[in-house]
Amino acid sequence: MYPFSIGVLMDGFRTDTLTALDKAVAVGATGIQVYATRGEMSPENMNAEARREFLKRVKDHGLTISALCGDLGHGFNDPKLNPELIEKSKRIVDLAKDLETDVITTHIGVVPNDPSHPRYAIMQDACGQLAAYADSMQAHFAVETGPEIATTLKGFLDSLHSKGVSVNLDPANFVMVTGDDPVQAVYTLKDYIVHTHAKDGKRLHYVSPEILYGMEESDMLNDASFIELPLGEGDVDFPAYFKALNDIGYKGFLTIEREVGDDPEGDIRKAADRKRHTSELQSLGNLVCRLLLEKKKGGG
């Protein structure tokens, strides 16, 4: 049994916050990831009392917050927009600390393969500022993998000389977008991994990450170049992936990022029931596989 904990992305339940907490408990999760970029959970909409009350409700459910999602949807490619985005990101860090989590997942844009590319320096400057603030708060901006291969991302992170910007490893994004090997990526990025997503998929044909990650989210999720699949049905070698995470000493969350069908609660509950009553689901890997049931195009 691997020492990983199961988390769920609360938005996947498509319901109000309190009901989502109940459902997270019902499916056997021990952690939740929460979007903090919009709506009632954004920093500007949560005063000190609201933060304390939400954290109390999470704890009363026996849950912890694995991470906040702080993806502002732009990356850090535009020096004109970056100051505002950086300030918003810092406020999400403040919220994360109040909610007793150290991880804020985000997309930073597509890191160029060539460090001499003009955008590389722009992203370095922005991420350097994010890293310095995160370090001061003992937190991590966790870059979601996918837009570039692991060696390119590692080179970029090494250039920041900080763990304030780290990694949220999503294995499916590697196989669906860049074609990189997510198992080897674990070893490549081992010094930076602070959070992971559980997702599988296939790349159907190649489309440049520059094009994919330049799309609006809804267009990207429906792009025909890749397909998200239940774990074990795509091209991620999950037995090897879980072993790699264990090899590097990872003991954090595998958070389910999945927009299931018309009855997400029912789908996930079936998975949890099968875990309780079927001996083949004694390993964490098999539990996660059963939690992702419905085929869907996607790639966030």
Side-chain angles (χ1 to χ4, degrees):
M1 190 81 172
Y2 291 125
F4 315 135
S5 299
I6 290 292
V8 291
L9 197 65
M10 285 221 313
D11 276 29
F13 290 115
R14 304 180 196 171
T15 187
D16 63 273
T17 299
L18 292 181
T19 303
L21 291 175
D22 291 337
K23 293 185 176 187
V25 173
V27 303
T30 58
I32 55 171
Q33 184 177 3
V34 182
Y35 270 94
T37 58
R38 60 181 184 268
E40 65 177 349
M41 294 301 300
S42 61
E44 63 272 18
N45 291 329
M46 292 196 77
N47 59 24
E49 181 179 356
R51 297 177 189 203
R52 288 192 296 268
E53 179 61 24
F54 179 70
L55 182 60
K56 181 179 184 301
R57 287 173 173 172
V58 171
K59 290 182 174 181
D60 286 348
H61 281 76
L63 298 166
T64 61
I65 299 173
S66 69
L68 298 188
C69 179
D71 181 8
L72 295 171
H74 298 280
F76 297 93
N77 305 312
D78 188 337
K80 295 180 181 178
L81 297 178
N82 282 351
E84 180 181 358
L85 296 176
I86 290 167
E87 287 306 309
K88 287 183 178 180
S89 297
K90 290 178 179 179
R91 301 294 76 79
I92 295 174
V93 174
D94 298 341
L95 174 61
K97 297 299 292 188
D98 285 344
L99 297 179
E100 298 184 2
T101 183
D102 300 329
V103 179
I104 303 91
T105 66
T106 189
H107 284 278
I108 61 171
V110 181
V111 177
N113 292 326
D114 182 0
S116 67
H117 190 291
R119 193 172 70 242
Y120 201 95
I122 293 170
M123 295 175 69
Q124 271 184 320
D125 177 69
C127 289
Q129 293 182 57
L130 294 177
Y133 190 75
D135 282 338
S136 74
M137 300 290 287
Q138 297 183 311
H140 304 279
F141 283 101
V143 178
E144 185 160 344
T145 55
E148 58 282 311
I149 61 175
T151 53
T152 297
L153 180 58
K154 182 181 185 299
F156 179 81
L157 295 175
D158 287 346
S159 76
L160 300 177
H161 306 290
S162 167
K163 297 296 176 63
V165 174
S166 294
V167 167
N168 171 49
L169 202 145
D170 186 314
N173 286 354
F174 276 124
V175 302
M176 293 190 299
V177 179
T178 63
D180 202 10
D181 177 5
V183 176
Q184 182 56 49
V186 172
Y187 298 109
T188 299
L189 295 167
K190 61 184 177 64
D191 294 332
Y192 295 102
I193 299 170
V194 296
H195 194 260
T196 68
H197 279 161
K199 192 167 65 180
D200 203 353
K202 290 178 179 285
R203 187 172 72 184
L204 304 179
H205 63 267
Y206 178 75
V207 172
S208 168
E210 299 275 358
I211 294 174
L212 282 174
Y213 282 89
M215 294 179 179
E216 294 294 329
E217 182 180 8
S218 58
D219 292 333
M220 183 181 178
L221 291 174
N222 290 298
D223 190 80
S225 65
F226 57 81
I227 184 170
E228 183 188 325
L229 295 165
L231 268 71
E233 295 185 18
D235 289 337
V236 178
D237 183 348
F238 275 96
Y241 175 66
F242 291 137
K243 179 181 182 299
L245 288 172
N246 191 58
D247 286 348
I248 68 167
Y250 180 74
K251 294 180 173 63
F253 277 89
L254 291 169
T255 294
I256 309 304
E257 182 189 22
R258 181 70 166 161
E259 293 179 323
V260 294
D262 293 334
D263 182 16
E265 179 187 6
D267 291 340
I268 299 173
R269 187 180 298 278
K270 288 175 188 176
D273 287 344
R274 290 185 67 181
K275 183 224 176 230
R276 284 189 287 269
H277 298 298
T278 307
S279 61
E280 69 171 308
L281 301 184
Q282 293 304 303
S283 76
L284 176 67
N286 283 334
L287 167 59
V288 177
C289 290
R290 298 315 190 275
L291 284 173
L292 305 181
L293 298 174
E294 293 294 325
K295 292 184 179 181
K296 164 189 165 294
K297 288 184 179 180

